Amino acid sequence: MAKHKLGAPQGRAAARRINKRQKIVAIALLTALPLTGYVASQMAPSQLPSAVASPASDTDTKLDGTTVTGVKNVKFDSKTALTSNQLIASNTRSNAASRGDDRGTLQSEQETGSWDLGEALSITTGNGQKIDASNPVIKVLVNSRDSGSVPAGFNPNHATGDNGNAYPYGQCTWWAYKRRAELGMPVGSNLGNGSQWAASAQSLGYWVDQTPRQGDVAVYGAGQQGADAVYGHVAVVEAVNDDGSIVISESNVNGQIGPFQRTVSADNAKALQYIHY
C-alpha cells in the first residue's frame, strides 16, 4: 500500500486544477456582478449581491446580456493593442516634429526598439523648463502631450500606492490595474471600489480631471451610465477619437470577464472622471 506524505509538493497538473477551480469560482461570482467595480475580497461570500439589473444604455452602445446592440461584444485584442513603446513613440515623434527634429532619426529608433530616453526627453515646457519624472512613460507625456495642461504644482513623482495587483481576478478593477501596468503607467493597488478610484488616486497625488487621454483610467460613479448602483466601474482609455468619443477596454461586463472593448460617445465621455498619472 502506497504511503502519502502530508504536505508533499503538488505537481504542475494539480496546481493547474486548483487554479482552474479558483477561476470557475470567480466566474460564478461575477455572474452576479454586472459592470461593477466591487472589491469582492472585502466581503464574505454571504454578503455578495445576488443579482444586479442589466446596465442602462449608452447613447451609442447598449449592453444587453452578452451583446452590444447590433453586434456581439468585441473582445479586446491584446495582439493589436496599444503598447507602452507606441505611447512613448507617438508622443515623442509629435513633439519632436513640432521642434523641427529629424523624423528619420526617430523612425530609426522605433524600428530598432532602442530608446535613448535621456536624449529623446530633452523637451521643455512652455516656460522653458523640463519636468523630471522617474517613470519613463510619464516623463514623455508630461513634457510633450500634456505640457500645456499639467496642473500647477503637480508632482509626477508622487506616491503611486502600487504594491502589485491586489484586485480580485476578473473584476473591472483587476483589469484596469493589469492594463495600466502593461502600458507602463502607475496605478494604486488599493483604490477601493470602481466609484472610489478617482478620489483615492487624487489623495495620493494623481492628476485627475474630466478630460480623457490615451492610457487613462476612466472612472464611472455609482449608477453612472449603467455602472453598478453601489460599486461603480472602471475602464482604460485605449484611444480618443477626433469627435470626442473614446475607445475603452474593460472587464466584468454583465458578469463576463472579457476583457472587452467598446466606444463611448463624446457626450458620455465628458461626464466621466479620468485618472492620468
Side-chain angles (χ1 to χ4, degrees):
M1 183 175 179
K3 295 182 179 180
H4 299 278
K5 295 183 179 179
L6 293 177
Q10 298 174 344
R12 291 185 179 179
R16 284 196 295 268
R17 286 196 296 272
I18 292 173
N19 186 50
K20 184 177 181 180
R21 285 198 296 271
Q22 290 176 336
K23 289 188 176 181
I24 290 173
V25 172
I27 292 170
L29 293 175
L30 285 172
T31 58
L33 298 169
L35 198 57
T36 174
Y38 172 62
V39 181
S41 62
Q42 296 180 353
M43 297 182 70
S46 61
Q47 296 174 289
L48 293 174
S50 58
V52 186
S54 297
S57 63
D58 188 64
T59 57
D60 49 21
T61 56
K62 180 181 178 182
L63 295 174
D64 181 18
T66 61
T67 67
V68 176
T69 300
V71 296
K72 293 181 180 179
N73 274 353
V74 179
K75 280 278 192 177
F76 177 75
D77 188 353
S78 59
K79 294 180 180 179
T80 60
L82 176 73
T83 67
S84 59
N85 281 341
Q86 290 171 342
L87 190 58
I88 288 175
S90 62
N91 287 286
T92 304
R93 282 203 307 274
S94 61
N95 187 268
S98 69
R99 293 182 289 118
D101 288 357
D102 183 7
R103 287 177 175 268
T105 300
L106 292 168
Q107 180 64 27
S108 175
E109 289 173 340
Q110 184 181 19
E111 289 173 352
T112 61
S114 173
W115 286 93
D116 183 353
L117 293 178
E119 178 66 23
L121 296 175
S122 58
I123 304 167
T124 57
T125 59
N127 60 10
Q129 296 180 340
K130 185 181 75 171
I131 299 176
D132 191 28
S134 57
N135 181 302
V137 177
I138 303 310
K139 192 170 185 179
V140 169
L141 298 179
V142 77
N143 286 294
S144 55
R145 183 190 73 180
D146 304 330
S147 62
S149 307
V150 179
F154 173 68
N155 175 18
N157 296 312
H158 62 78
T160 64
D162 185 0
N163 297 302
N165 197 341
Y167 303 102
Y169 173 79
Q171 293 287 340
C172 63
T173 47
W174 163 82
W175 170 253
Y177 179 99
K178 181 178 185 296
R179 184 68 180 124
R180 283 274 286 199
E182 290 172 352
L183 293 174
M185 301 182 74
V187 61
S189 300
N190 299 284
L191 298 180
N193 299 320
S195 62
Q196 300 171 316
W197 272 40
S200 296
Q202 201 161 30
S203 70
L204 287 170
Y206 284 83
W207 173 17
V208 178
D209 63 21
Q210 288 188 284
T211 301
R213 294 174 174 83
Q214 196 173 39
D216 288 355
V217 175
V219 180
Y220 290 75
Q224 185 177 21
Q225 298 176 25
D228 183 87
V230 176
Y231 307 113
H233 186 60
V234 287
V236 174
V237 179
E238 300 292 333
V240 179
N241 299 321
D242 291 340
D243 63 0
S245 64
I246 60 174
V247 178
I248 61 172
S249 64
E250 59 189 341
S251 186
N252 192 13
V253 177
N254 267 7
Q256 297 181 75
I257 292 175
F260 302 104
Q261 65 184 47
R262 64 182 168 108
T263 299
V264 177
S265 68
D267 287 342
N268 279 358
K270 291 176 183 177
L272 303 177
Q273 287 186 292
Y274 298 94
I275 301 172
H276 305 308
Y277 43 77

